[in-house]
Amino acid sequence: MLFFSFFKTLVGKEIAVELKNDVVLTGTLHSVDQYLNIKLTNVSVVNQDKYPQLMSLKNCFIRGSVVRYVQINPNDVDTELLQDATRKENSPVTDGK
């Protein structure tokens, strides 16, 4: 759930997604779900010479299982929030005793 929550904070930000078939798409993150499926708007292809058939693509839905990497602008990452969430997720569960 940590990655899902993290990616939800990036909605509206510009990201680059590298797929397992070596296609790299950049665009604005529109939405993400619990399976880390990604919907991008304002999509452009990084290597347009190699993939000219994708140049007309404006919006796309990317299945989470085909994503190799997601590149994010470091300025868009709230490291304090990410560290706190990681600590909470890894802290031992107490039952109030």
Side-chain angles (χ1 to χ4, degrees):
M1 288 303 278
L2 181 63
F3 285 112
F4 171 56
S5 300
F6 172 68
F7 279 112
K8 284 196 314 187
T9 66
L10 297 172
V11 169
K13 308 287 185 185
E14 189 79 17
I15 64 170
V17 180
E18 181 178 337
L19 307 180
K20 290 181 180 176
N21 64 355
D22 296 328
V23 174
V24 181
L25 302 171
T26 60
T28 305
L29 181 63
H30 181 268
S31 63
V32 63
D33 66 12
Q34 70 270 21
Y35 302 106
L36 300 182
N37 297 322
I38 295 171
K39 182 174 181 186
L40 291 179
T41 56
N42 304 320
V43 176
S44 63
V45 182
V46 171
N47 193 348
Q48 295 179 355
D49 296 336
K50 191 172 180 182
Y51 305 105
Q53 69 274 21
L54 298 177
M55 288 181 57
S56 62
L57 193 64
K58 299 297 176 209
N59 302 311
C60 70
F61 178 86
I62 303 169
R63 184 180 166 119
S65 65
V66 301
V67 174
R68 182 180 293 151
Y69 298 113
V70 176
Q71 298 172 1
I72 305 162
N73 184 340
N75 298 329
D76 293 336
V77 178
D78 185 354
T79 54
E80 294 286 328
L81 181 66
L82 190 57
Q83 289 171 353
D84 289 343
T86 304
R87 283 189 200 103
K88 288 177 185 174
E89 188 171 281
N90 292 324
S91 67
V93 178
T94 57
D95 57 1
K97 291 184 182 180

